[in-house]
Amino acid sequence: MLEFVRNKNLTNLEPIENMDRKEIANILGKEQVTLIGVVILIVIGIYIVTGAGIGITLVGKSIEGNTIVQAIVAALTVIFSVWKISATVKQSNKNTFINTITIARKEYMITLRKTVTEFCIAAENKDNKKLKELSYQLKMLMFPARDTDEMWDREAIKMIDTIVEATNKKKYVDEFVTLMQSWLALEWSGMREECKHGIMSEEQVKELQKEYYQQYKNFIAQKNNEQKQHNAILIIVQ
């Protein structure tokens, strides 16, 4: 799956590698602007202090009380201004980064949903050539190499291969659709959480993944039980 901002697209969902390099450069460029702003403020502060007529000399002369107060006020003003601008720019950079990731993840979800739909239609129509092509497209949207993706990417890829090879594809298609519905729901939930509260921690991502995967497993188990009961009733009726 893509990753969630740093590698966490819940299932995989955040094509960080597909992020526009210019957007990332803009984010980093703002930090440089912040430093320049700090330097400018310091220079202005020094100018204010010296321009106020501080009576400080290299060889100990007295400093008037009013001058000391002016110096302290000027210094505090500079410090507060630097802190305020730094905090504002930092928050702005954070929001810009999250918004960039959110846009990328939305595009990923649209692509994934469209490809899954076409894949399932090709399976039901027994269009094996199209099915094979779409199976590779789906795999390219997944990342099974990480050990943490056993629940999602690896399971999805196993289902894709099974559907391609199976003669009776309907049962596997239904289960695959359910998995991908849970996958998209997971991504959407993660995206909302990060929009509200900022970047999720590694532990939060894992917990959310487990929660949705368990919901998926419970639904499949319930569906299988209902099918068994239905088949049993048919046997009795016959």
Side-chain angles (χ1 to χ4, degrees):
M1 328 186 105
L2 290 186
E3 312 261 279
F4 241 175
V5 175
R6 346 114 226 152
N7 191 24
K8 295 195 175 166
N9 219 72
L10 287 190
T11 60
N12 211 18
L13 252 171
E14 128 224 23
I16 297 270
E17 52 262 272
N18 293 332
M19 285 177 57
D20 192 328
R21 293 181 181 274
K22 290 183 179 179
E23 294 181 33
I24 298 177
N26 288 338
I27 295 173
L28 298 177
K30 288 184 179 180
E31 295 183 359
Q32 296 177 347
V33 172
T34 303
L35 294 176
I36 294 173
V38 171
V39 172
I40 292 174
L41 283 173
I42 291 175
V43 171
I44 293 174
I46 293 173
Y47 176 79
I48 292 174
V49 172
T50 56
I54 298 179
I56 301 177
T57 62
L58 293 176
V59 184
K61 288 185 179 181
S62 62
I63 302 177
E64 297 180 358
N66 289 338
T67 302
I68 295 176
V69 172
Q70 289 175 347
I72 293 174
V73 171
L76 290 176
T77 300
V78 172
I79 293 172
F80 176 75
S81 298
V82 170
W83 173 81
K84 186 174 182 179
I85 290 178
S86 177
T88 300
V89 173
K90 182 178 180 181
Q91 184 60 42
S92 177
N93 289 347
K94 180 180 178 181
N95 291 340
T96 300
F97 183 71
I98 291 176
N99 289 339
T100 301
I101 295 300
T102 298
I103 291 171
R105 290 171 63 190
K106 283 182 178 178
E107 292 176 353
Y108 170 84
M109 291 172 68
I110 291 172
T111 301
L112 182 64
R113 182 182 290 109
K114 181 176 182 294
T115 310
V116 168
T117 301
E118 293 177 353
F119 177 79
C120 293
I121 292 173
E124 293 190 352
N125 291 338
K126 298 181 180 181
D127 186 346
N128 293 329
K129 182 178 179 180
K130 185 68 174 178
L131 191 64
K132 195 73 173 179
E133 176 187 340
L134 291 168
S135 72
Y136 285 117
Q137 290 184 26
L138 281 175
K139 290 177 182 180
M140 293 304 295
L141 294 171
M142 300 173 185
F143 182 44
R146 289 196 314 270
D147 292 337
T148 55
D149 285 324
E150 181 68 37
M151 293 184 297
W152 296 100
D153 300 62
R154 294 181 188 178
E155 181 159 346
I157 289 175
K158 287 178 182 177
M159 287 187 183
I160 291 170
D161 290 338
T162 299
I163 291 171
V164 170
E165 296 169 4
T167 302
N168 183 11
K169 303 179 186 298
K170 181 170 175 53
K171 173 187 175 182
Y172 304 106
V173 167
D174 289 344
E175 190 170 342
F176 180 65
V177 168
T178 303
L179 176 67
M180 300 315 294
Q181 287 172 331
S182 299
W183 183 321
L184 291 169
L186 168 63
E187 294 298 345
W188 180 252
S189 178
M191 189 164 57
R192 284 187 305 166
E193 284 299 312
E194 290 198 338
C195 287
K196 289 179 183 178
H197 308 296
I199 306 304
M200 297 177 67
S201 68
E202 187 78 30
E203 191 60 32
Q204 288 175 321
V205 170
K206 288 181 180 179
E207 287 301 317
L208 196 59
Q209 288 177 339
K210 290 179 181 178
E211 176 186 345
Y212 275 79
Y213 187 75
Q214 189 58 52
Q215 289 178 5
Y216 157 71
K217 282 298 187 182
N218 291 343
F219 180 77
I220 290 297
Q222 179 183 349
K223 192 173 181 180
N224 289 339
N225 287 335
E226 290 175 353
Q227 185 62 46
K228 288 179 181 178
Q229 292 175 2
H230 177 71
N231 292 341
I233 293 174
L234 290 178
I235 293 173
I236 294 173
V237 170
Q238 293 174 355

